[in-house]
Amino acid sequence: MSEERLRILHLLSEGKVSPQEAEQLLQAMDKNAVQSVAKPNDMKGKYLYVQVEPKEGKTSERVSVKVPFALVKAGLNISKLIPMEAQGKVQESMHQSGIPFDFSSLDSQNIQEILEALEEMSIDVDTDESTVKIFCR
Amino acid sequence: MLPMLLHLEVKSHTFYFPLGLLYLLLVPVLLLGAIACLALLVVPATSRQMRSYIPLIMALPSLLSASIGMQIAYRHISIHII
């Protein structure tokens, strides 16, 4: 659960806001989240590349994937819109699979930080058969 | 704007597939989905749960539009969403 959502629920439990006001605040929060998903244009023109190139004389496969940054951002933002009940189920099954993932850790600031880190990221893996490059441009 | 064209390259052959056709095929499914959503919204027992899914449903077209420019190439096959 996000911090903002928790704060609203806390205010409700303390009686500082009425249930109707709390609902309005939560709806406004959801609307903001939808708008942030709907406006991925600030990342327009940037792509995340994954390239696998075989070395000379080697027969390994050539793979190239180019993913728009806007899609990465929209995908990360959309996770915030998953209803609480569904988030709980997803988290539970991920924990069972050994992946300690917490939806509440994905707030807008974290997403921005992840994207900024991705922009500067460059990974080169050199093997006998091929070279793998992951970068943003 | 939704992606409208799928550019497919297989070796030296180039194909263009208009995604509008795919969207047209999906219209009946979307209509049925919309009717199901409305029915779930009307039923008091499921209304609250359904409302929590609406922001997610509304955000799906933007996810699709963000996929414009995606390109996948494997061996001699290349797929480009335009």
Side-chain angles (χ1 to χ4, degrees):
Chain A
M1 202 181 289
S2 71
E3 262 180 54
E4 293 93 348
R5 201 174 280 271
L6 269 175
R7 202 176 298 155
I8 293 165
L9 293 175
H10 196 68
L11 289 171
L12 179 66
S13 68
E14 285 177 344
K16 287 180 181 171
V17 291
S18 68
Q20 287 81 13
E21 284 170 333
E23 195 186 1
Q24 280 174 356
L25 286 169
L26 288 169
Q27 278 175 354
M29 242 183 69
D30 288 341
K31 206 179 271 182
N32 284 343
V34 171
Q35 281 170 354
S36 67
V37 170
K39 291 177 183 170
N41 289 344
D42 52 333
M43 293 287 164
K44 209 174 179 179
K46 286 183 182 169
Y47 294 91
L48 177 72
Y49 291 83
V50 180
Q51 291 177 341
V52 182
E53 295 278 344
K55 284 195 170 169
E56 272 189 40
K58 301 288 179 184
T59 54
S60 67
E61 281 134 9
R62 186 189 300 269
V63 181
S64 172
V65 180
K66 181 181 156 191
V67 183
F69 237 70
L71 183 62
V72 179
K73 191 182 183 186
L76 284 169
N77 279 330
I78 216 162
S79 63
K80 288 190 295 186
L81 302 176
I82 298 171
M84 288 298 149
E85 302 93 358
Q87 278 187 18
K89 284 177 187 168
V90 171
Q91 256 172 240
E92 199 183 304
S93 66
M94 284 179 94
H95 275 282
Q96 281 171 359
S97 308
I99 306 164
F101 181 75
D102 188 6
F103 274 100
S104 62
S105 61
L106 272 180
D107 59 31
S108 54
Q109 199 183 339
N110 277 353
I111 289 171
Q112 200 55 41
E113 280 171 15
I114 290 168
L115 290 171
E116 278 168 17
L118 272 173
E119 274 183 73
E120 290 159 18
M121 181 191 71
S122 173
I123 300 171
D124 287 343
V125 182
D126 213 14
T127 63
D128 294 337
E129 290 282 316
S130 58
T131 51
V132 181
K133 285 181 182 175
I134 303 169
F135 58 93
C136 292
R137 194 180 287 161
Chain B
M1 192 185 147
L2 295 174
M4 295 310 284
L5 211 57
L6 197 74
H7 175 209
L8 193 73
E9 267 185 37
V10 183
K11 290 187 179 171
S12 58
H13 302 285
T14 304
F15 305 97
Y16 287 94
F17 181 76
L19 288 171
L21 284 175
L22 198 71
Y23 301 144
L24 275 177
L25 282 172
L26 287 174
V27 165
V29 180
L30 292 174
L31 277 174
L32 281 174
I35 292 165
C37 282
L38 283 173
L40 287 168
L41 278 171
V42 170
V43 177
T46 55
S47 172
R48 208 181 136 269
Q49 207 174 0
M50 185 59 226
R51 262 188 291 147
S52 65
Y53 278 93
I54 288 174
L56 186 67
I57 295 166
M58 300 292 273
L60 288 177
S62 68
L63 192 70
L64 204 58
S65 80
S67 71
I68 294 175
M70 189 161 158
Q71 198 168 7
I72 299 169
Y74 175 70
R75 288 185 179 174
H76 304 293
I77 303 165
S78 167
I79 300 166
H80 188 193
I81 298 169
I82 304 167

